[in-house]
Amino acid sequence: MSEDNINNKEESKPSISFIEQFVAEDLEGGKNSGNVITRFPPEPNGYLHIGHAKAICLDFGLAKKYNGKCNLRFDDTNPVKEDVEYVDSIKEDIHWLGFDWEEREFYASDYFGKLYDFAAELIKRGLAYVDDQPAELISSQKGTPTQPGTESPFRNRQADENLDLFRRMNKGEFDEGSRVLRARVDMTSPNMHLRDPIIYRIIKSPHHRTGSSWKVYPMYDFAHGQSDYFEGITHSLCTLEFEVHRPLYDWFIDQLKTDDYRPRQIEFNRLNLTYTMMSKRKLLELVQEGIVKGWDDPRMPTLCGLRRRGYTPESIKKFIDLIGYTKVEAINDVSLLEHAIREDLNIKAPRVFGVLNPLKVIISNYPEGKEEDVELINNPEDETMGKRLVPFSRVVYIEQDDFMEIPPNKFFRLAPGMEVRLKGAYIIKCEGFKKDEATGVIEEVYCTYDKETRSGGSGSERKVKGTLHWVSAKHSVDAEVRLYDRLFNHEDPSGQKEDDYRKFLNPESLKVLTGCKLEPSLKSAGKLEKFQFQRLGYFCVDTDSTDRKLVFNRTVQLKDTWAKVNK
RNA sequence: UGUCCCGUGGUGUAAUUGGCAACACGUCUGAUUCUGGAUCAGAAGAGUUCAGGUUCGAGACCUGACGGGACAACCA
């Protein structure tokens, strides 16, 4: 192999997605004067979820990489479903992810005037007509994917009359549903979207931005492509289901454009995650039916839910980077998302002691009333995070799981006669325990400690098989800890034809633990602050937490090879 | 009985545009560890849905099957 080849291998760039390849080609071809302008176009009718994050990362990320701009545009063409509540949450979530649209905050409703004029122009050119038929009739005349449609009796209405009716529709002279404006394309097209699509309908509810100045509203298909055109979008990135809409968008732009410029639409696969679902409608049902506690319930795949769960924007972006953009409809394993958050928090989260299911351990030869501070490293992955002092005393709590009366093989924890290290403190030996014979519950464990084995001390070299986390009973703070598991116990809960997704709800998706014992330093933790509870997982302070009642959420468990062995 | 899109280890993606399939997650070993975490070393696992064709050479190109998906809201 020549030296050149070796160098090439070492320098080989990470591959870019097919979308980015198209963009790069356009740039090389001198299209759009070398500009890249994208847009993220949410409808303000729900909260953003991780699937939207995939689009956001693409739209904003690509623009940034190619020195372009990305607009935020709310597709607010349906006043009956949309609300400012959603506008605000969407903006917050995009910022949280770390993207910014500067002053370019647009609304499809900004273009209602232009869109109306364009529709009027289409009428004048004989390319649009007012249809007086009811919805069911129009629908039945559309035909089916395998059968051509039939033409409306109003299809050949004269332009003057169409124009007059369209104006009067907008003045509120007609009832909702009584008339629509349709584009005059081709009722026999194999593409259903081209069969004289409805482009305007009468809606009399007020709009969150334009109030009641309009009585007629453009359909999404009539607003979206043209909005891109008005904004000078060069690359219009969207999900696969809009592929069949593209010919329609092109048809509109053909009527509208005055030069060579036109936005290039590129479709990619939407994000699917195992054991959850992304349908906004179904997520709304979970909220409305009280199955979850709100849009920001930590079990939700919404960005606010993930944020409250303890996910970082970096971990979400890393995950999205890992899964890539293709045209294959894929379902991604949540374990990859979990890997991303573990990897991020491993570096960032300070380690602390928290005992979820406390078991009292009495160290009988440790002087009563004595207490001492032991020093612990905050994060072995990052020395700059320093050390802290944790109080130790005669009575400590350990995890119930860390003691067994009759241990199986390879149980490196506490059991009668066995020794174990209390991390950062001493080696202790189990001398006995107290058990409620009726229930079989272990109530207390009695140990002795080896004074010489204090961590960092002269006798600390001695090895024992297990190391446990612990909390001094006297100094511990109580907390509620919420353990989350997947919301559904089916990989694809909403993809089952026969069964409603509700059938697959995991009854154990939330377990609330009270009386958990935490080390005292946690008392002052701020909301959403993240920690690794050593040997257990990553946790963050819930937004419900107060000074009087600490509440933590478990973001994700640590990998647990013992649990696997134990199976 | 249509039109459009897609088929690469268990999962998600690569393959310098035609030169004998790479990475990540997961899985399994082992080392190490005062977290059964992290880290380190290693392993197993696909011959690219199938059948033809073009070519010296195909995961890439062509044809045809097969399989999956999208499209029939006055939703977006």
Side-chain angles (χ1 to χ4, degrees):
Chain A
M1 194 183 273
S2 74
E3 210 168 282
D4 277 0
N5 281 336
I6 292 166
N7 284 339
N8 279 340
K9 259 202 173 154
E10 282 172 354
E11 287 168 16
S12 70
K13 297 171 200 159
S15 55
I16 58 175
S17 71
F18 76 102
I19 301 170
E20 198 171 333
Q21 288 179 38
F22 287 155
V23 172
E25 282 166 19
D26 286 347
L27 249 25
E28 280 165 30
K31 271 196 187 174
N32 306 309
S33 321
N35 288 321
V36 173
I37 303 173
T38 60
R39 99 277 90 122
F40 174 62
E43 184 193 13
N45 71 340
Y47 282 68
L48 258 29
H49 55 60
I50 190 166
H52 294 111
K54 179 174 176 177
I56 291 168
C57 289
L58 215 218
D59 292 327
F60 283 93
L62 211 55
K64 186 172 186 185
K65 180 165 178 182
Y66 289 91
N67 287 314
K69 303 280 186 199
C70 178
N71 298 348
L72 171 60
R73 183 179 67 240
F74 289 96
D75 264 326
D76 54 351
T77 54
N78 187 358
V80 310
K81 287 191 176 176
E82 292 146 11
D83 196 283
V84 280
E85 172 199 355
Y86 299 119
V87 171
D88 295 339
S89 77
I90 287 168
K91 291 199 279 190
E92 183 188 353
D93 287 344
I94 299 171
H95 275 146
W96 177 69
L97 278 177
F99 297 106
D100 187 45
W101 53 94
E102 296 170 316
E103 76 292 348
R104 297 179 311 283
E105 179 177 322
F106 303 129
Y107 294 78
S109 53
D110 295 341
Y111 314 124
F112 282 173
K114 282 178 163 180
L115 257 7
Y116 182 90
D117 292 345
F118 178 46
E121 177 63 25
L122 288 180
I123 292 172
K124 286 178 199 160
R125 286 197 242 157
L127 295 174
Y129 61 96
V130 172
D131 197 328
D132 299 355
Q133 302 183 104
E136 310 78 61
L137 205 51
I138 291 177
S139 167
S140 68
Q141 287 165 355
K142 284 230 165 158
T144 70
T146 54
Q147 286 171 309
T150 51
E151 296 186 354
S152 162
F154 297 96
R155 195 171 199 265
N156 296 315
R157 185 123 82 172
Q158 288 307 299
D160 291 348
E161 190 186 354
N162 280 322
L163 213 47
D164 177 60
L165 285 169
F166 186 46
R167 282 181 185 140
R168 288 164 59 198
M169 279 164 67
N170 192 37
K171 280 184 188 159
E173 289 185 26
F174 308 119
D175 289 340
E176 286 187 12
S178 64
R179 279 175 231 266
V180 290
L181 184 70
R182 293 228 254 166
R184 198 169 183 276
V185 191
D186 179 5
M187 286 308 290
T188 64
S189 170
N191 183 334
M192 299 281 300
H193 297 278
L194 260 21
R195 321 240 263 230
D196 289 13
I198 293 169
I199 60 176
Y200 264 95
R201 76 294 211 192
I202 300 166
I203 297 176
K204 294 185 174 175
S205 344
H207 185 277
H208 73 110
R209 299 198 94 227
T210 60
S212 46
S213 44
W214 298 91
K215 296 287 182 285
V216 96
Y217 289 87
M219 297 289 289
Y220 172 83
D221 276 349
F222 190 69
H224 189 81
Q226 287 91 294
S227 298
D228 283 346
Y229 182 85
F230 296 145
E231 290 178 17
I233 301 301
T234 59
H235 300 274
S236 180
L237 313 174
C238 63
T239 46
L240 254 21
E241 68 268 29
F242 292 105
E243 210 152 17
V244 270
H245 296 237
R246 182 156 28 103
L248 210 216
Y249 300 165
D250 282 339
W251 188 87
F252 290 133
I253 299 301
D254 283 340
Q255 319 307 324
L256 191 57
K257 72 187 180 96
T258 53
D259 57 23
D260 282 347
Y261 159 71
R262 84 186 311 146
R264 164 129 68 163
Q265 175 169 304
I266 306 166
E267 306 87 4
F268 61 91
N269 61 348
R270 66 162 63 238
L271 170 61
N272 295 304
L273 263 188
T274 52
Y275 301 104
T276 188
M277 58 192 190
M278 296 300 170
S279 156
K280 265 205 250 180
R281 199 196 88 231
K282 287 173 185 164
L283 293 177
L284 178 64
E285 286 170 5
L286 291 178
V287 174
Q288 286 177 337
E289 294 171 23
I291 293 168
V292 297
K293 291 177 181 166
W295 284 103
D296 69 343
D297 187 298
R299 292 166 292 181
M300 292 281 273
T302 49
L303 292 176
C304 52
L306 289 164
R307 178 164 63 232
R308 188 170 173 190
R309 175 78 171 255
Y311 275 81
T312 58
E314 292 75 20
S315 68
I316 290 171
K317 287 191 274 195
K318 177 68 191 289
F319 168 69
I320 284 163
D321 199 46
L322 288 169
I323 62 175
Y325 299 86
T326 69
K327 304 199 71 162
V328 188
E329 295 181 48
I331 178 155
N332 294 277
D333 202 322
V334 263
S335 65
L336 192 57
L337 214 211
E338 291 176 346
H339 169 258
I341 186 61
R342 284 197 192 101
E343 190 178 60
D344 195 35
L345 258 20
N346 180 41
I347 300 163
K348 293 176 180 167
R351 267 100 274 213
V352 293
F353 287 163
V355 176
L356 265 29
N357 298 295
L359 172 61
K360 193 177 274 185
V361 172
I362 296 160
I363 303 162
S364 49
N365 63 337
Y366 193 88
E368 211 140 347
K370 179 178 176 179
E371 47 188 81
E372 57 190 310
D373 286 332
V374 301
E375 193 176 58
L376 283 151
I377 292 166
N378 284 331
N379 189 342
E381 307 294 325
D382 182 0
E383 268 189 41
T384 66
M385 291 175 76
K387 296 172 179 175
R388 72 185 185 290
L389 296 174
V390 177
F392 180 81
S393 64
R394 188 167 188 265
V395 181
V396 300
Y397 291 113
I398 65 167
E399 214 64 62
Q400 282 170 20
D401 284 351
D402 286 341
F403 175 84
M404 281 185 101
E405 182 184 352
I406 304 159
N409 252 353
K410 293 188 178 172
F411 183 77
F412 304 149
R413 304 181 186 183
L414 203 57
M418 281 177 69
E419 282 192 316
V420 89
R421 173 171 288 282
L422 295 179
K423 188 174 171 68
Y426 299 95
I427 291 175
I428 58 170
K429 182 176 183 180
C430 176
E431 310 283 3
F433 58 92
K434 181 173 140 197
K435 178 162 132 183
D436 182 325
E437 290 303 334
T439 61
V441 170
I442 308 292
E443 294 175 323
E444 287 179 350
V445 176
Y446 308 113
C447 293
T448 52
Y449 85 118
D450 181 345
K451 195 177 175 179
E452 305 306 314
T453 58
R454 178 166 164 162
S455 295
S458 54
S460 68
E461 299 306 305
R462 191 150 76 83
K463 302 288 181 200
V464 286
K465 276 182 285 184
T467 302
L468 307 184
H469 63 281
W470 51 272
V471 172
S472 165
K474 190 184 353 184
H475 305 89
S476 67
V477 290
D478 278 32
E480 174 178 315
V481 176
R482 298 173 183 170
L483 304 181
Y484 299 100
D485 197 357
R486 46 193 57 151
L487 227 200
F488 297 96
N489 46 32
H490 192 290
E491 276 207 354
D492 184 12
S494 63
Q496 307 311 305
K497 279 175 192 145
E498 303 295 316
D499 299 302
D500 185 85
Y501 65 87
R502 278 164 270 239
K503 183 178 169 186
F504 304 111
L505 281 164
N506 175 8
E508 307 209 313
S509 63
L510 169 62
K511 276 187 201 159
V512 179
L513 264 31
T514 54
C516 303
K517 305 291 184 183
L518 312 181
E519 66 168 72
S521 71
L522 253 15
K523 189 152 182 131
S524 55
K527 288 192 180 186
L528 295 182
E529 204 174 330
K530 295 156 183 68
F531 300 92
Q532 184 196 94
F533 286 12
Q534 229 154 31
R535 302 210 302 136
L536 298 176
Y538 295 99
F539 294 74
C540 77
V541 180
D542 188 72
T543 46
D544 285 345
S545 196
T546 64
D547 288 344
R548 295 191 53 231
K549 184 191 173 196
L550 285 176
V551 181
F552 280 81
N553 293 321
R554 184 175 69 194
T555 308
V556 66
Q557 281 179 281
L558 248 32
K559 277 195 201 163
D560 188 351
T561 54
W562 169 243
K564 262 186 228 163
V565 171
N566 212 9
K567 260 182 197 171

